[in-house]
Amino acid sequence: MSGTAFLNSLRALVGRRHVLTSDSATYRYRKGFRCGEGPVLAVVRPGSLVELWRVAQACVSAGKIVLMQAANTGLTGGSVPDGNGYDREIVLINTLRLAKIHVIGGGRQVVCLPGATLHALEHLLAPLGREPHSVIGSSCLGASVLGGVSNNSGGALVQRGPAYTEMAVFGQVGADGVLRLVNHLGIPLGPDSGEMEPEAMLAALERGAFDESRIDWTAGKGHDARYATRVRDVEADSPARFNANPQNWHDAAGCAGRLVVFAARLDTFPAQKDTATFYIGTNTPDVLETLRRDVLTGFPELPIAGEYVHREAFEITERYGRDMVALIRLIGTKRLPRWFAMKARFDGFAAQSRFLPPALADHVLQAFSKCLPSQILPRLAAYRDRFEHHLMLKVSGTMAEAMRAHLAVFFTGHEGDWFACTPKEGARAFLHRFAVAGAAIRYQTMHRRTCAALVPLDVALRRNDRDWFERLPPALAEKLAARVYYGHFFCHVMHQEYVVRNGFDPETVKHDLLALLDARGAKYPAEHNVGHLYAAPPEMAAHYRALDPCNCLNPGIGKTSRKRNWAAESV
């Protein structure tokens, strides 16, 4: 089939307006949120699960590479092409039109289609007094539920660990090159007897007309219930969670785009009410580590979240993330994905011009942000001036008084201070924390003349590592224009981002940084999957090969082969 004939076949399946081929139309899909970009033959946006099945079949039959993508909010480029080094044409399938969520068991569980977002799930569950696995951070950016499951994303909640389920419906390409549908959802998608065709099963799945009397409530786990015990073991000489942990790989969970996932079934959780947030500052890293150990081992209940921000990250976010904080306050998180889409379209238009700078929207927004007042509330700003290390500790209403009493006693014998946030202060503190990642990108964008690149690392420290705060050798530190440290402190998951000065090779700097982490027994990445930034360890590469023996779904992630049938790159 010729290229034109193949594209026409895709248009016949989903409609002409949902097959995008021009550089400007495909730009926001083929360029990653933080990194990664490459050409594609087409971006296809199916409007039903049956259309998704047919498009995937057509691509596999035609020998194309398939990249599955939902919200494109990943931080390691794992759902976009990475340059030109592929041996086949790429079709990127974006699933955001497939956004249905089916509630089952009175809200105890949900069945999410591939375009369902965490934000939509959170709002669907709120009237039921329930909430999804992740409610902070990625939910603000419009991240998809299945994107989190596929990448074992960790999130900020101390009690829940990586996104995980053992129940899903997915398409898998066998060694014979044939796409087959697998139903491990624990929900029959047809009559009691007789097999249904895949399209009939997928149509039934999309309708969600489930007979709850036929649902198998013991079909598998809907979240990683083991994590709450694991994170409390502060003497263990290994991380609490990291992306290459085989314990969290099961079908769709941890597949990293190596399967065509049509739906996943997940647990929900009772919504936390009457929460309290405490803001803590210190100039001594060991103070926070001592507090972490006290809380994880000494309280019967785990905190909801414990988020760390270093002073330099605080200041960079105040300057380069001010407009984002203001925007979320103005329009709310519901409209934020639409805003990002508009921004990406604007950048796509500007990218076609030889006369406009890259990331033009960021230049415009940064100029606008200078006209905005500071988004930092007075008590938070005062702690910024006093302390180098900042911790936001959020707990349930039942834990609040005990935590207040503990902090009052703790800081009579340790350097630092704390205060109980008002609801406004608590919300603003967490909002500022989750603007850090975008602010680091903006910083590097605005300093392109003096800075070579941003090197973002996602690090899982050993649970017993008291010396958690990184001290770089002077020879390495002088190569950096900025260091942005923040993370999920009680899980010992740190995001460490480095802006490399011009004149130094970013890959060499990254290699040196990773060597230091290896010496400390850290694992990386912690929660964002390997994407195109990290090399997959052998057991992870073997896992990908078992899922996708033809290497036609998201080839090349984890620095693995991009070639058909996993041929060596030199072939």
Side-chain angles (χ1 to χ4, degrees):
M1 185 182 296
S2 70
T4 300
F6 175 71
L7 290 174
N8 285 336
S9 72
L10 296 181
R11 294 180 180 115
L13 293 176
V14 302
R16 180 171 296 272
R17 66 188 293 257
H18 296 299
V19 179
L20 312 178
T21 57
S22 70
D23 285 347
S24 58
T26 61
Y27 180 81
R28 72 185 180 100
Y29 301 95
R30 58 185 175 81
K31 178 175 173 55
F33 178 75
R34 172 183 280 161
C35 64
E37 181 181 359
V40 297
L41 176 64
V43 171
V44 185
R45 303 182 301 184
S48 70
L49 293 183
V50 170
E51 287 185 1
L52 173 57
W53 171 258
R54 291 172 176 172
V55 168
Q57 274 193 316
C59 293
V60 171
S61 297
K64 309 299 183 185
I65 287 173
V66 174
L67 293 190
M68 299 298 300
Q69 181 193 88
N72 192 18
T73 58
L75 299 182
T76 59
S79 61
V80 296
D82 184 49
N84 297 286
Y86 297 89
D87 63 347
R88 292 151 288 167
E89 293 176 310
I90 296 172
V91 175
L92 192 157
I93 303 178
N94 183 275
T95 62
L96 280 184
R97 295 178 66 206
L98 310 175
K100 286 186 178 179
I101 302 169
H102 304 303
V103 177
I104 60 175
R108 289 189 294 114
Q109 291 186 333
V110 289
V111 176
C112 295
L113 271 56
T117 65
L118 283 166
H119 189 277
L121 179 56
E122 183 179 349
H123 280 262
L124 178 67
L125 293 174
L128 304 177
R130 310 286 293 184
E131 61 187 22
H133 171 270
S134 178
V135 296
I136 303 174
S138 56
S139 58
C140 295
L141 299 176
S144 69
V145 178
L146 265 61
V149 170
S150 297
N151 294 300
N152 287 146
S153 299
L157 302 186
V158 178
Q159 304 156 352
R160 297 180 192 169
Y164 178 76
T165 184
E166 296 172 355
M167 299 171 286
V169 176
F170 54 91
Q172 183 171 26
V173 181
D176 57 358
V178 176
L179 179 68
R180 295 178 176 84
L181 189 68
V182 180
N183 179 14
H184 288 171
L185 200 63
I187 302 175
L189 298 177
D192 289 326
S193 60
E195 292 189 7
M196 294 178 67
E197 291 296 316
E199 291 189 7
M201 295 174 64
L202 292 172
L205 172 61
E206 187 155 10
R207 288 194 306 271
F210 307 136
D211 181 351
E212 294 216 357
S213 67
R214 299 176 64 204
I215 294 177
D216 181 359
W217 297 104
T218 63
K221 297 181 176 68
H223 77 285
D224 183 8
R226 301 162 293 186
Y227 185 74
T229 300
R230 205 157 61 236
V231 75
R232 285 187 182 273
D233 187 0
V234 297
E235 299 303 333
D237 195 34
S238 62
R241 56 180 166 99
F242 58 100
N243 201 249
N245 185 352
Q247 293 184 47
N248 291 118
W249 301 339
H250 188 99
D251 292 344
C255 74
R258 295 291 187 165
L259 301 171
V260 181
V261 184
F262 293 92
R265 176 178 162 192
L266 300 111
D267 293 337
T268 69
F269 304 87
Q272 298 281 2
K273 298 180 180 179
D274 303 320
T275 61
T277 298
F278 301 97
Y279 201 92
I280 297 158
T282 182
N283 292 302
T284 309
D286 191 63
V287 168
L288 293 188
E289 179 59 23
T290 301
L291 179 61
R292 169 182 169 269
R293 288 165 173 260
D294 285 354
V295 173
L296 290 179
T297 61
F299 284 76
E301 181 182 347
L302 286 172
I304 297 170
E307 292 298 297
Y308 168 80
V309 178
H310 184 260
R311 177 189 278 153
E312 186 171 2
F314 190 117
E315 292 173 338
I316 285 175
T317 306
E318 203 282 327
R319 183 172 180 182
Y320 295 96
R322 181 181 301 184
D323 56 301
M324 179 54 61
V325 175
L327 180 68
I328 295 174
R329 292 180 57 217
L330 177 66
I331 69 172
T333 56
K334 181 179 180 179
R335 297 180 177 87
L336 202 58
R338 186 175 300 175
W339 166 262
F340 278 120
M342 292 171 55
K343 178 177 178 290
R345 281 194 290 268
F346 181 80
D347 280 337
F349 169 78
Q352 307 307 307
S353 171
R354 293 180 297 170
F355 306 103
L356 297 175
L360 178 60
D362 281 299
H363 288 271
V364 173
L365 290 169
Q366 186 60 29
F368 169 71
S369 72
K370 294 178 181 178
C371 303
L372 295 172
S374 173
Q375 301 297 298
I376 307 301
L377 295 176
R379 285 207 289 182
L380 304 181
Y383 267 50
R384 180 266 321 275
D385 296 337
R386 292 175 60 193
F387 300 115
E388 182 180 0
H389 305 282
H390 299 244
L391 179 68
M392 287 147 274
L393 182 56
K394 186 175 184 178
V395 301
S396 69
T398 57
M399 191 177 179
E401 285 307 312
M403 184 59 65
R404 186 188 303 268
H406 183 79
L407 291 173
V409 173
F410 182 86
F411 280 102
T412 60
H414 294 88
E415 184 272 331
D417 206 349
W418 67 282
F419 65 87
C421 295
T422 65
K424 181 178 180 180
E425 287 172 328
R428 191 72 61 86
F430 275 99
L431 180 54
H432 186 255
R433 151 66 185 89
F434 288 104
V436 176
I441 300 170
R442 175 79 62 80
Y443 178 95
Q444 192 274 328
T445 298
M446 302 308 297
H447 293 83
R448 285 183 183 272
R449 293 183 179 180
T450 58
C451 298
L454 177 71
V455 175
L457 299 182
D458 172 26
V459 181
L461 302 176
R462 292 174 293 124
R463 282 167 283 178
N464 65 352
D465 191 351
R466 291 204 69 105
D467 191 19
W468 61 272
F469 186 68
E470 183 175 68
R471 305 289 186 186
L472 294 178
L476 184 54
E478 69 180 10
K479 299 178 182 179
L480 305 174
R483 284 173 277 177
V484 182
Y485 294 149
Y486 58 103
H488 315 308
F489 186 69
F490 279 76
C491 300
H492 257 199
V493 168
M494 302 299 296
H495 301 294
Q496 301 180 171
E497 305 186 356
Y498 310 85
V499 182
V500 182
R501 298 182 189 275
N502 278 342
F504 300 101
D505 177 37
E507 281 301 313
T508 301
V509 170
K510 179 181 176 181
H511 178 272
D512 293 343
L513 291 166
L514 293 180
L516 293 174
L517 292 171
D518 289 338
R520 296 174 59 189
K523 298 285 188 180
Y524 48 83
E527 61 177 3
H528 289 149
N529 206 281
V530 289
H532 293 291
L533 289 183
Y534 302 90
E539 61 272 24
M540 179 176 267
H543 172 62
Y544 292 158
R545 190 163 186 160
L547 290 176
D548 179 21
C550 294
N551 205 25
C552 60
L553 288 158
N554 209 6
I557 60 167
K559 311 293 185 183
T560 59
S561 171
R562 302 182 183 208
K563 296 187 179 296
R564 189 193 306 269
N565 297 325
W566 295 84
E569 287 292 327
S570 58
V571 174

